[in-house]
Amino acid sequence: MDGFEICDSRFKAFVLPNAPLEMLAEGFRWCEGPVWFGDRDELLFSDLPNNRVMRWSEAGGLSVFRQPSNFENGHARDRQGRLLSCSHRGRCITRTELDGSLTVLADRYRGKRLNSPNDIVCKSDGTIWFTDPPYGIQTDYEGGKQESELPAAVYRLDPRDGSLAIVADDFEGPNGLCFSPDESLLYVAESGLQFVPDPVQHIRVFGVGADGLRDGRIFHTVTPGFADGFRCDEEGHLWSSAADGVHCIDPSGALLGKIRVPSTVSNLAFGGRNRSRLFLCASHTLYAIYVNRRGARLL
């Protein structure tokens, strides 16, 4: 099966030999934060260093959705279908209202500025969960050098009353995050500190309870490279970014197989017909590939 690496025989049923990797667009500086809008049949994603959010659709091709974007990185949709975004430059979480206006949902915790929110997900109860590493304020390439006021952490925001709470603070560089299909688990990428010789890099998993997260443990270590962003399919398999493509990991933490991609994958999203098309943000290029699994649907 050219283009795939089978590490476990089960993975053969997950991929389609006659569905090749497709290049959809190129010429970006660093792609990130893909999110699928099924009602509009389009994908939004960040061209982060170019300070813009792009739009791609089968019918319309590539266009600019927002520029400047205040160096937005990760994106998600809330329960009303509105776009949620992580702004590196603004050091905040925003929501794009249905009329196109922007609302800042969170930019401070106990009076101190957030670092540079990175990735974001919305739970079925409407709460918004996001990671806040310092990456976007450590260089001018992805946001702009600024002083950090808070340790890196994972947050939960309740937009109903604006309350913001830390749910995990023992990360050096929390990055991508994703709920399991039943929302009983939260996966979080630990991407470690930048500019150090041996950063701590692995995927952690937590139980999700009414009072927050519990029983955190190392779930899987991606190699080569490290996990940046990931998504779950309906059966709970985790599809993770990696230096050599996309890695599919079963709920026990075992690597099932890989989709080989010519450049480093930063993040991905399920979309398209029946949520069975994987859109891949890979360095300077946007790719897509159909797989024989469907992305997890919000509860």
Side-chain angles (χ1 to χ4, degrees):
M1 300 179 71
D2 189 39
F4 305 104
E5 182 176 332
I6 309 298
C7 303
D8 183 298
S9 59
R10 290 175 290 170
F11 190 60
K12 292 180 180 179
F14 290 24
V15 293
L16 303 166
N18 63 340
L21 184 69
E22 303 169 88
M23 186 184 73
L24 304 182
E26 60 181 342
F28 313 106
R29 284 213 166 102
W30 181 253
C31 299
E32 255 287 8
V35 59
W36 178 252
F37 279 69
D39 49 338
R40 301 204 303 248
D41 199 29
E42 67 182 28
L43 184 83
L44 298 183
F45 65 97
S46 296
D47 182 8
L48 183 52
N50 279 328
N51 194 21
R52 59 184 183 171
V53 176
M54 307 301 294
R55 176 197 288 116
W56 180 90
S57 71
E58 200 81 65
L62 186 70
S63 61
V64 175
F65 173 77
R66 180 154 58 215
Q67 187 178 25
S69 68
N70 221 11
F71 289 87
E72 290 175 358
N73 188 343
H75 301 282
R77 297 188 79 180
D78 70 5
R79 299 299 290 184
Q80 288 72 47
R82 296 168 294 191
L83 176 67
L84 303 172
S85 304
C86 297
S87 170
H88 278 191
R89 175 68 64 81
R91 301 172 71 164
C92 62
I93 298 298
T94 66
R95 182 177 66 211
T96 302
E97 307 297 348
L98 298 180
D99 64 3
S101 62
L102 282 180
T103 300
V104 175
L105 298 179
D107 62 357
R108 294 177 185 269
Y109 178 71
R110 295 184 176 177
K112 296 184 178 181
R113 297 191 71 188
L114 299 174
N115 292 302
S116 51
N118 187 283
D119 209 349
I120 188 167
V121 291
C122 186
K123 199 166 178 281
S124 61
D125 62 2
T127 55
I128 297 165
W129 301 56
F130 65 94
T131 55
D132 186 42
Y135 302 146
I137 57 173
Q138 289 181 320
T139 73
D140 289 323
Y141 191 57
E142 294 187 359
K145 289 184 179 181
Q146 301 177 59
E147 292 296 320
S148 176
E149 299 178 22
L150 290 164
V154 182
Y155 290 88
R156 178 184 59 205
L157 170 70
D158 191 334
R160 293 169 294 192
D161 58 13
S163 59
L164 184 64
I166 291 177
V167 292
D169 59 3
D170 56 343
F171 282 85
E172 294 182 353
N175 201 329
L177 73 171
C178 173
F179 284 105
S180 62
D182 64 1
E183 298 184 339
S184 65
L185 301 172
L186 179 70
Y187 299 95
V188 184
E190 168 65 273
S191 296
L193 297 173
Q194 291 192 103
F195 315 120
V196 298
D198 297 301
V200 176
Q201 295 177 328
H202 48 236
I203 301 172
R204 295 174 64 187
V205 63
F206 298 84
V208 181
D211 55 348
L213 302 180
R214 60 178 186 272
D215 304 326
R217 60 180 174 83
I218 296 175
F219 170 71
H220 183 85
T221 299
V222 166
T223 184
F226 60 91
D228 187 334
F230 36 66
R231 294 289 184 271
C232 276
D233 64 23
E234 287 182 329
E235 290 79 27
H237 306 99
L238 194 71
W239 299 72
S240 174
S241 60
D244 58 349
V246 177
H247 293 191
C248 182
I249 307 156
D250 85 354
S252 74
L255 177 63
L256 299 180
K258 304 178 182 182
I259 300 172
R260 299 192 190 100
V261 180
S263 51
T264 299
V265 176
S266 64
N267 215 329
L268 51 88
F270 283 97
R273 187 174 66 247
N274 299 316
R275 308 182 314 282
S276 61
R277 194 180 193 185
L278 265 180
F279 292 92
L280 314 178
C281 287
S283 300
H284 315 120
T285 308
L286 177 68
Y287 292 99
I289 187 169
Y290 284 96
V291 295
N292 195 29
R293 285 296 180 272
R294 294 176 174 178
R297 185 189 292 274
L298 286 173
L299 294 175

